[in-house]
Amino acid sequence: EREQVRLEKAVRASSLRTKGTPGSTSAVIDVKALLDALGATRLVEIVDIDGTLQILVCGAGTVRRFAAGSSQDAVSATDFARFALRRLSRDRAGDDPDSALAILRSAGPALQDAVLGAAATRHLRDDPVVIVPPGRLHAIPWALLPALRDRPFSVAPSGSAWLRAHTARPPERHRVVLASGPGLATGGAEVPAIAGLYGDVTMLTRADATADRVLGALDGAWLAHVAAHGTFRADSPMFSSLRMHDGPLTVYDFERLDRAPYRLVLSSCDSGLLAPAGADELLGLVSSLLPLGTAGIVAGVVPLNDQAVVPLMIGLHQSLQAGRTLAESLLAVRHQAGPDPAQQGAALSLIALGAG
């Protein structure tokens, strides 16, 4: 009886019972419809109640609750891991990549204890996982967690956002859009290499990659890939942006789309970050696209090394071409990352968002 009370309290605080504007990331959800849609997948929602994290594992027709660590411990472990990943992305002379990798090896188990607790080992098994974290924990590099390292997983702003992404329908025309912005150390070398993998391709580079032209090409695309410098504005997340030839492409611009690309790969620093706004909303590039029809996004939660990310992105698209999902393709990329510490760090920094 006491456990039932705890479960009900956690559910009331989660996105499974959150009221919001229809179409928003926090819209109220039909729990039975969610459980039916999950199939073998487990949706793991992390709820912060009075500074302690409660874990709701949804799947196999039920919702189970587990206690994890304190939210402050989770935030501290996240900051520690992000610090090490930023060091690896810089790849500067005099840096100590072995020290950064050692930090990451110790940070993963600590993060798992704090944010998943016993749920990591008791009810996830080998199934695919969807993580729904609270706003303060969206910046976690989830692939560091031992329970997630060797399985496909994705991250969603809420249960309703995942369900909407899961049921999004792809366009009939398999049109692919590839774009690269200015100032990249590689000149956007991944874009022409990826173009050779597809048939119906629109490629925008150099002066052609203006904000308006890229936005127009993205509208209704089956698959899009943008390699550009990204800026996340925690103080004003709607002005988070991708740098194009003539200036920034912002969250406000993305909201002008009639239909977001069905799948989107953002080879851009910090492009997967979201900021809490009010009690139950999250703002950022991702939150603007999921309500517009995007099934899945690949993005980074820390700065990415321009050169290290190129082979990872080519490998990602090769895996997509083989019929894998974004989450499955990222798993393949993590396994294929070479010995270069910057490349290993970049592979750990990328996450799949949504359900595609």
Side-chain angles (χ1 to χ4, degrees), residues 167-340:
T167 55
R169 301 188 61 143
E172 292 184 9
R173 179 184 169 188
H174 285 194
R175 181 171 59 88
V176 177
V177 176
L178 306 173
S180 61
L184 297 171
T186 64
E190 69 215 60
V191 167
I194 293 168
L197 299 174
Y198 298 100
D200 187 358
V201 176
T202 298
M203 187 162 62
L204 299 171
T205 61
R206 300 183 182 177
D208 290 333
T210 63
D212 279 346
R213 290 194 67 179
V214 170
L215 190 68
L218 291 177
D219 207 314
W222 174 66
L223 172 64
H225 178 108
V226 181
H229 285 301
T231 301
F232 177 70
R233 289 279 304 273
D235 62 325
S236 187
M238 297 297 285
F239 286 100
S240 298
S241 64
L242 304 173
R243 182 182 170 195
M244 296 292 103
H245 180 77
D246 61 340
L249 182 62
T250 69
V251 176
Y252 282 115
D253 293 320
F254 279 118
E255 292 194 336
R256 292 162 44 201
L257 292 168
D258 290 328
R259 182 178 182 182
Y262 178 70
R263 280 177 169 171
L264 176 62
V265 179
L266 294 175
S267 183
S268 308
C269 298
D270 295 330
S271 52
L273 296 180
L274 294 169
D280 54 20
E281 286 292 337
L282 292 163
L283 297 179
L285 292 171
V286 175
S287 63
S288 68
L289 293 168
L290 291 178
L292 294 175
T294 295
I297 300 169
V298 167
V301 294
V302 295
L304 300 173
N305 182 284
D306 288 354
Q307 294 183 344
V309 82
V310 169
L312 300 180
M313 289 300 172
I314 295 171
L316 175 76
H317 282 274
Q318 289 171 336
S319 189
L320 289 174
Q321 276 287 77
R324 298 186 180 99
T325 66
L326 291 175
E328 291 166 345
S329 297
L330 272 183
L331 175 60
V333 163
R334 292 196 296 272
H335 286 170
Q336 294 165 8
D340 175 44

